[in-house]
Amino acid sequence: MRSDISPLISFILLPLLFLVPDCAARKAASVYDYIIVGSGPGGATVATRLALNNFSVLLIEAGPDYDGGDTRTPGFWAQTQLNLPITINFYPYLYSKENGTTILYPRGMILGGSAQLNALVAMTVNPSEWDNIAAITGDSNWSSQNMIGKYQPFVENCQYCLNNDTDKNKNGWADISAPAYRKPSSQLNITNPAINTLFEAINERLNYNPNVNENKSYDSWFYLPQSINQDEGIRSSTYKRIKSVQSLRPSNFHIWTNTFVTKLIIDPTTKNTCGVQYVKGSNLYKASPLASPSLNIKNVKKSVIYAKREIIVSGGQWLSPQLLQLSGIGDRTLLEKLGIPVIQDLPGVGKNQQEHSEISYIVKLKTNENIYESNNSNCIFNKTSNDPCLIDYLNNPTASIYSSNLNIFSIFRSAEPIVPNFPDSIFLFVPQRFTGIRTNWLQTMAQYPFGTYLTVDIELGRNKNNLGNVYIQSTNPFDTPLIEMKHFQDENGPVEVNQFIQHIRFLRDLFTNSQFSKYVDYEDLPGSQFQTDEQLSAFIYEYVWGHHACCTNKMGNTETDPLAVVNSKAQVKGINNLRICDISIFPVIPGYYPMVPIFMAAEKIADDIIIAAKG
């Protein structure tokens, strides 16, 4: 375009410029190098890394900019789910649509993503899991040897460093530690006789693991790594990281909240991605309890923003495949059925969904017995202003139970068939009656005084079932998709059910044949009426749940794997300038808890992006 063109002609041509099918002119006109859609662990990590490397970054989040006492206080992680403006609730089918059984599945729609609402568990994966991704993708940069190096830069607190590294973790941003009031087993100073006896019973059966992020190879008990700032007793969060980088790079790190991305802008001829379509407003997505059930994309104002280099989608396990499908990327049969023009036929979008199956084992303690320290036995989680545990937390946050996610301790345990150096399950011991995240679960749990029940949450950490799926049901981006978890539906289902049964029998022995049995009144769940394998199987099918859904845009060798959606650098197959960076790209469900693996994967992907950009 000539430099002497008149302003009038420029005004006339500018709208036409943005209607041409080629993205080149639009990209050239953009002020942002990268647009990241979603601010959870994946999006926050990539966005901040790019901004710190002096790229112009726009981070778009559908939820609000919120930082309150509930999101900061570790012990209130569950209560955040009652904060309606920052929570969205899905109701996926536990097995299938035909079966009809659904489960509550809350997620965070807030600056910082679900990492602002989760249970703060900050565990690395077994090294063999990284090596498996390297083998699947053919990319040695995913090897455990290389990925350990992605952990060190972002971790500040050295309590759970890797390779005994105590010097390099001084400039990170994520604190990963046990609560300050937890001490190694050799230094335990617990006055409550019930919890002290429980520790003795566990010590008789399992060895203490001093650094579970360093070694996950054997059955053991340990203090759970949590994303907690020990000095302040608060959540160490993606939100704080985002805000910190924004203050350091105000000219090139831009954040839009309450902005819902409805579609990717992709040239259908060149398959270049150059921007996103979005709608401004709060509580637009119908998974929000505050959303209008009648809201339709046809009735709202839509806008478009472009990026010079790339779009990175970080919407999570369900919103990311939904956005791809709405944009013409996905299974051709599904898209044509809904009348969506097919830009790239990728049948793997929305498939390969996996989940950690979980079951609660619960015992009721005898009258006047409490599993927690006496000064914490009256915790009421801020239901009234005189909550004694909240007062304790405000006066001395680092020594309060509210400075943790309430986990007493955890164990690794293997059940048959045993895989060497990789325990199949993790148990979390919590001083509440917790039957899983279900409809009204918080209200139900609040009916039982804190510390009068002991729950052991049993999680299978190596599920092989990948039959779950997520598919859009309409072209309205505010509608939630069809989600089927399909627990136990593959050939390995009976094996996993049997592993649960073995773990339940182990816990029954622990609470019956140890000194701790004198504190137990009865087994509340499953209950003494469930004795045979058949009875326990029925219990498991009724009470199973999970909250780590993943893998719906699987990474793989895009030349040989027909279901691979992204390559080893998270680039979407067949589409230019588009990557995905969130939990959906894992080919196999990672570890026991996914937050830290997402951070580490995002660090690797950020490296890939920066290297490519700098040539």
Side-chain angles (χ1 to χ4, degrees), residues 13-81:
L13 290 181
L14 189 59
L16 297 177
L17 181 68
F18 288 94
L19 290 175
V20 298
D22 186 4
C23 281
R26 305 175 187 181
K27 290 166 68 69
S30 172
V31 298
Y32 303 108
D33 292 316
Y34 297 94
I35 295 175
I36 290 86
V37 181
S39 66
T45 301
V46 170
T48 53
R49 282 286 311 281
L50 293 175
L52 290 172
N53 277 269
N54 298 316
F55 293 103
S56 177
V57 175
L58 173 62
L59 178 62
I60 300 179
E61 168 56 46
D65 181 336
Y66 174 85
D67 181 38
D70 51 352
T71 56
R72 288 194 299 268
T73 306
F76 287 173
W77 71 266
Q79 278 65 33
T80 60
Q81 296 174 22

Side-chain angles (χ1 to χ4, degrees), residues 96-331:
S96 66
K97 182 178 181 180
E98 290 72 24
N99 174 274
T101 304
T102 59
I103 187 81
L104 171 66
Y105 215 112
R107 300 282 85 184
M109 190 163 276
I110 175 179
L111 188 62
S114 292
Q116 287 291 89
L117 281 69
N118 67 12
L120 301 96
V121 183
M123 295 184 72
T124 57
V125 303
N126 190 293
S128 65
E129 298 179 79
W130 294 126
D131 293 333
N132 184 46
I133 294 178
I136 289 172
T137 61
D139 184 349
S140 61
N141 288 322
W142 283 103
S143 69
S144 58
Q145 183 177 5
N146 185 64
M147 291 304 294
I148 286 174
K150 308 305 175 190
Y151 178 84
Q152 303 291 17
F154 72 84
V155 181
E156 173 71 19
N157 188 289
C158 279
Q159 184 167 358
Y160 286 104
C161 286
L162 302 183
N163 296 331
N164 298 314
D165 186 342
T166 58
D167 298 319
K168 296 181 181 179
N169 294 45
K170 305 301 182 183
N171 300 308
W173 62 269
D175 292 277
I176 298 179
S177 60
Y181 64 87
R182 290 286 177 232
K183 299 179 181 179
S185 58
S186 60
Q187 303 175 25
L188 287 175
N189 182 23
I190 298 171
T191 56
N192 182 292
I195 194 172
N196 194 48
T197 304
L198 178 60
F199 274 111
E200 292 174 357
I202 289 295
N203 264 319
E204 291 174 357
R205 289 162 171 78
L206 295 167
N207 292 324
Y208 173 65
N209 189 338
N211 190 342
V212 70
N213 272 356
E214 172 73 24
N215 193 335
K216 297 178 181 60
S217 63
Y218 63 102
D219 289 10
S220 56
W221 77 269
F222 51 88
Y223 293 125
L224 196 67
Q226 300 176 38
S227 53
I228 296 170
N229 182 311
Q230 276 195 347
D231 295 335
E232 301 177 72
I234 62 174
R235 181 189 292 266
S236 178
S237 67
T238 45
Y239 178 88
K240 186 176 180 180
R241 167 68 166 176
I242 291 168
K243 288 296 187 178
S244 173
V245 174
Q246 187 182 36
S247 66
L248 290 172
R249 297 288 192 274
S251 63
N252 64 309
F253 188 29
H254 307 269
I255 300 169
W256 290 359
T257 54
N258 290 321
T259 304
F260 191 84
V261 172
T262 58
K263 187 179 181 180
L264 301 169
I265 306 301
I266 306 171
D267 187 312
T269 303
T270 64
K271 298 190 179 182
N272 288 331
T273 310
C274 54
V276 299
Q277 176 183 279
Y278 65 92
V279 175
K280 298 291 288 187
S282 58
N283 308 308
L284 299 176
Y285 195 48
K286 293 181 184 178
S288 167
L290 302 177
S292 167
S294 61
L295 185 63
N296 193 293
I297 188 66
K298 298 177 181 178
N299 305 323
V300 297
K301 178 184 177 182
K302 297 173 284 292
S303 304
V304 176
I305 187 72
Y306 301 101
K308 289 180 182 293
R309 293 181 178 272
E310 295 185 21
I311 308 296
I312 296 107
V313 174
S314 302
Q317 73 272 22
W318 295 327
L319 281 165
S320 285
Q322 174 173 341
L323 182 58
L324 262 62
Q325 291 167 357
L326 288 167
S327 305
I329 303 172
D331 188 290

Side-chain angles (χ1 to χ4, degrees), residues 332-365:
R332 176 181 296 275
T333 303
L334 171 68
L335 302 183
E336 290 179 343
K337 177 183 176 181
L338 294 172
I340 298 173
V342 179
I343 292 179
Q344 183 69 25
D345 180 17
L346 284 184
V349 175
K351 292 185 179 178
N352 190 54
Q353 179 160 261
Q354 299 164 46
E355 174 68 291
H356 285 146
S357 297
E358 300 183 53
I359 286 290
S360 293
Y361 177 90
I362 306 175
V363 293
K364 169 69 172 65
L365 302 187

Side-chain angles (χ1 to χ4, degrees), residues 80-95:
T80 60
Q81 296 174 22
L82 299 178
N83 191 334
L84 301 186
I86 64 174
T87 304
I88 55 177
N89 294 321
F90 293 91
Y91 294 90
Y93 291 102
L94 200 59
Y95 298 104

Side-chain angles (χ1 to χ4, degrees), residues 274-567:
C274 54
V276 299
Q277 176 183 279
Y278 65 92
V279 175
K280 298 291 288 187
S282 58
N283 308 308
L284 299 176
Y285 195 48
K286 293 181 184 178
S288 167
L290 302 177
S292 167
S294 61
L295 185 63
N296 193 293
I297 188 66
K298 298 177 181 178
N299 305 323
V300 297
K301 178 184 177 182
K302 297 173 284 292
S303 304
V304 176
I305 187 72
Y306 301 101
K308 289 180 182 293
R309 293 181 178 272
E310 295 185 21
I311 308 296
I312 296 107
V313 174
S314 302
Q317 73 272 22
W318 295 327
L319 281 165
S320 285
Q322 174 173 341
L323 182 58
L324 262 62
Q325 291 167 357
L326 288 167
S327 305
I329 303 172
D331 188 290
R332 176 181 296 275
T333 303
L334 171 68
L335 302 183
E336 290 179 343
K337 177 183 176 181
L338 294 172
I340 298 173
V342 179
I343 292 179
Q344 183 69 25
D345 180 17
L346 284 184
V349 175
K351 292 185 179 178
N352 190 54
Q353 179 160 261
Q354 299 164 46
E355 174 68 291
H356 285 146
S357 297
E358 300 183 53
I359 286 290
S360 293
Y361 177 90
I362 306 175
V363 293
K364 169 69 172 65
L365 302 187
K366 292 181 178 178
T367 304
N368 299 324
E369 297 293 352
N370 194 291
I371 194 60
Y372 236 95
E373 288 86 346
S374 57
N375 65 321
N376 287 320
S377 60
N378 296 313
C379 297
I380 55 175
F381 298 93
N382 204 28
K383 285 193 293 187
T384 65
S385 59
N386 62 345
D387 176 3
C389 295
L390 180 58
I391 294 171
D392 179 51
Y393 174 74
L394 295 175
N395 291 331
N396 191 9
T398 62
S400 166
I401 188 175
Y402 283 174
S403 67
S404 80
N405 67 358
L406 310 180
N407 174 248
I408 304 173
F409 64 90
S410 297
I411 71 173
F412 282 146
R413 184 173 188 274
S414 300
E416 298 289 344
I418 293 175
V419 175
N421 304 315
F422 197 162
D424 62 73
S425 297
I426 183 172
F427 296 8
L428 274 62
F429 289 69
V430 293
Q432 295 172 286
R433 189 180 186 278
F434 171 62
T435 64
I437 298 177
R438 313 173 182 279
T439 302
N440 296 323
W441 70 280
L442 278 166
Q443 295 86 339
T444 301
M445 189 168 64
Q447 298 174 14
Y448 303 92
F450 184 77
T452 59
Y453 286 79
L454 175 62
T455 296
V456 183
D457 176 40
I458 309 169
E459 176 192 300
L460 297 186
R462 290 190 291 104
N463 301 59
K464 297 180 180 179
N465 184 349
N466 68 344
L467 299 181
N469 53 63
V470 50
Y471 299 133
I472 57 173
Q473 303 179 85
S474 77
T475 58
N476 184 7
F478 305 128
D479 289 344
T480 57
L482 167 68
I483 307 167
E484 297 175 304
M485 306 308 298
K486 299 193 176 179
H487 284 275
F488 310 131
Q489 299 303 292
D490 69 338
E491 67 277 2
N492 200 56
V495 175
E496 294 175 355
V497 171
N498 183 258
Q499 287 178 318
F500 270 131
I501 292 172
Q502 292 178 60
H503 292 320
I504 290 171
R505 297 196 190 284
F506 167 83
L507 290 170
R508 281 179 167 172
D509 178 72
L510 172 68
F511 293 127
T512 303
N513 298 316
S514 73
Q515 287 296 313
F516 187 73
S517 64
K518 63 186 177 184
Y519 297 102
V520 176
D521 190 0
Y522 58 86
E523 179 182 293
D524 179 64
L525 206 68
S528 58
Q529 69 273 28
F530 293 89
Q531 291 295 328
T532 68
D533 286 359
E534 291 75 16
Q535 290 170 334
L536 288 171
S537 294
F539 160 76
I540 291 163
Y541 272 92
E542 181 178 357
Y543 278 88
V544 69
W545 65 288
H547 62 304
H548 297 154
C550 76
C551 312
T552 50
N553 288 310
K554 69 175 290 191
M555 186 189 335
N557 186 323
T558 52
E559 294 182 2
T560 59
D561 183 353
L563 294 182
V565 177
V566 299
N567 64 15

